[in-house]
Amino acid sequence: ACQRCGGPSTPSGFPPTAPTIGDKECEKLCGNVAKNGFITVSSEVKGRWKKFLTDGNKKTRWESRHSEDMYITMDFGKQVDINRIDLDWYGSLRAQRYQMYFWDDKHPVKEQWVSVYQVKNNKERKQSIMFPNVTTKFVQIRAPRRTVGQQIGKGFSLKELRVHDGQCYCRRCNKCLAYDK
């Protein structure tokens, strides 16, 4: 049941008459697909490794070297359905502008990166980016510019990165039970 409103929960994509499930089952279905994949980054600073992007520990973080362009590419190892990406930026080391792409290997002419979301003036540390369901094996986040007023000599930094697949929603308030508590 939803901890916010007490409403029944169900895996997304199932009809409203589907059996309800508990929070523990929902947590299993709402896993971070980036956690089990392979991540490539443009750069990393010593002690701020890419493995910290998906470790679930708010005290660790990934940080890129000081440069204008940054990217994070996630290879899930198989086709997955995704519709939400959560970013938890570290302080002022967030990207002011960035784009999210998925790899379209079913394009009729050629395989290509397709933009699913663009941010032009980010002022938030925590973001949940929701978009229509996408089936892909790869997701990439590209940031061409640092924030205004960012510390000189610092790159971008994320405490946590989550890519959602198979979410469970409360049928009453329509929130993901695993991450919107």
Side-chain angles (χ1 to χ4, degrees), residues 125-145:
R125 288 187 183 174
K126 288 188 176 188
Q127 296 174 298
S128 283
I129 312 301
M130 298 180 85
F131 43 87
N133 220 38
V134 170
T135 302
T136 187
K137 184 180 174 193
F138 303 98
V139 168
Q140 187 174 75
I141 301 170
R142 295 182 206 160
R145 198 162 108 195

Side-chain angles (χ1 to χ4, degrees), residues 98-111:
Y98 64 91
Q99 284 188 285
M100 292 184 181
Y101 298 87
F102 75 94
W103 183 253
D104 182 3
D105 61 359
K106 293 179 176 51
H107 189 274
V109 179
K110 63 178 181 173
E111 297 176 343

Side-chain angles (χ1 to χ4, degrees), residues 50-156:
K50 65 183 177 184
K51 68 181 181 180
F52 296 139
L53 282 167
T54 59
D55 69 349
N57 184 345
K58 299 288 184 184
K59 293 180 181 180
T60 62
R61 63 186 169 97
W62 162 80
E63 185 177 329
S64 70
R65 280 190 240 131
H66 177 68
S67 66
E68 285 297 317
D69 296 332
M70 176 277 295
Y71 70 83
I72 300 168
T73 304
M74 294 158 275
D75 177 349
F76 306 122
K78 63 180 181 178
Q79 294 283 338
V80 294
D81 292 325
I82 62 171
N83 61 7
R84 177 174 161 181
I85 297 176
D86 292 341
L87 302 171
D88 188 355
W89 297 98
Y90 178 76
S92 66
L93 302 183
R94 63 188 177 276
Q96 180 182 18
R97 297 171 46 127
Y98 64 91
Q99 284 188 285
M100 292 184 181
Y101 298 87
F102 75 94
W103 183 253
D104 182 3
D105 61 359
K106 293 179 176 51
H107 189 274
V109 179
K110 63 178 181 173
E111 297 176 343
Q112 62 184 3
W113 288 106
V114 177
S115 178
V116 290
Y117 195 81
Q118 180 176 350
V119 174
K120 294 184 179 180
N121 190 17
N122 176 29
K123 295 179 181 177
E124 303 296 323
R125 288 187 183 174
K126 288 188 176 188
Q127 296 174 298
S128 283
I129 312 301
M130 298 180 85
F131 43 87
N133 220 38
V134 170
T135 302
T136 187
K137 184 180 174 193
F138 303 98
V139 168
Q140 187 174 75
I141 301 170
R142 295 182 206 160
R145 198 162 108 195
R146 292 182 309 280
T147 56
V148 175
Q150 186 176 14
Q151 296 173 352
I152 295 173
K154 297 285 186 176
F156 298 101

